[in-house]
Amino acid sequence: MISVSGEKPINPATVYLVSHAYMSVPGDDEEDARFIGCFSTLEKADTAVQNPVDLPGFREHVDGFLVEQYLVDIDVGWEEGFITVSWDDH
C-alpha cells in the first residue's frame, strides 16, 4: 500500500504484460521478440499464453512466453539512470 502525504493510502493497480521471445539464430545474442498484450488479471494473461500455443512459430518455441507483473504508476528502478556499454572489436 502507498501513502501520499495528506491523502488516503492507495493500492496500486496490477497489470500483467505477456511477451514471447526466442533466439532466432542459435549462438546469436539477438532475440526475436513480440509483445502479446497487457492484462488486468493473471488468469487473463495465462489465457493469452495458451491461445497462440498451437499457431505457427509459437508452437516451435512454446517455452518463449513470459508473463511479468507490474504495478501501475510506480517507477521500476531507473532512479540512478543507466550506462551504455559498447564492445570495441579493434
Side-chain angles (χ1 to χ4, degrees):
M1 196 172 315
I2 299 171
S3 293
V4 178
S5 180
E7 295 183 15
K8 291 182 180 180
I10 58 171
N11 290 323
T14 300
V15 294
Y16 300 88
L17 302 185
V18 179
S19 59
H20 181 271
Y22 70 99
M23 304 307 268
S24 55
V25 178
D28 193 357
D29 289 337
E30 192 169 327
E31 282 187 323
D32 185 1
R34 64 218 32 83
F35 177 69
I36 304 298
C38 180
F39 301 92
S40 58
T41 68
L42 183 56
E43 292 77 19
K44 289 179 181 180
D46 286 339
T47 298
V49 168
Q50 296 306 313
N51 287 340
V53 164
D54 293 325
L55 297 176
F58 294 108
R59 70 176 161 235
E60 289 83 18
H61 304 283
V62 176
D63 60 342
F65 288 97
L66 177 64
V67 176
E68 298 176 283
Q69 177 182 350
Y70 287 94
L71 298 176
V72 175
D73 297 331
I74 303 293
D75 288 340
V76 293
W78 296 101
E79 294 85 7
E80 295 182 23
F82 68 94
I83 63 170
T84 301
V85 177
S86 60
W87 300 97
D88 188 3
D89 293 336
H90 301 295

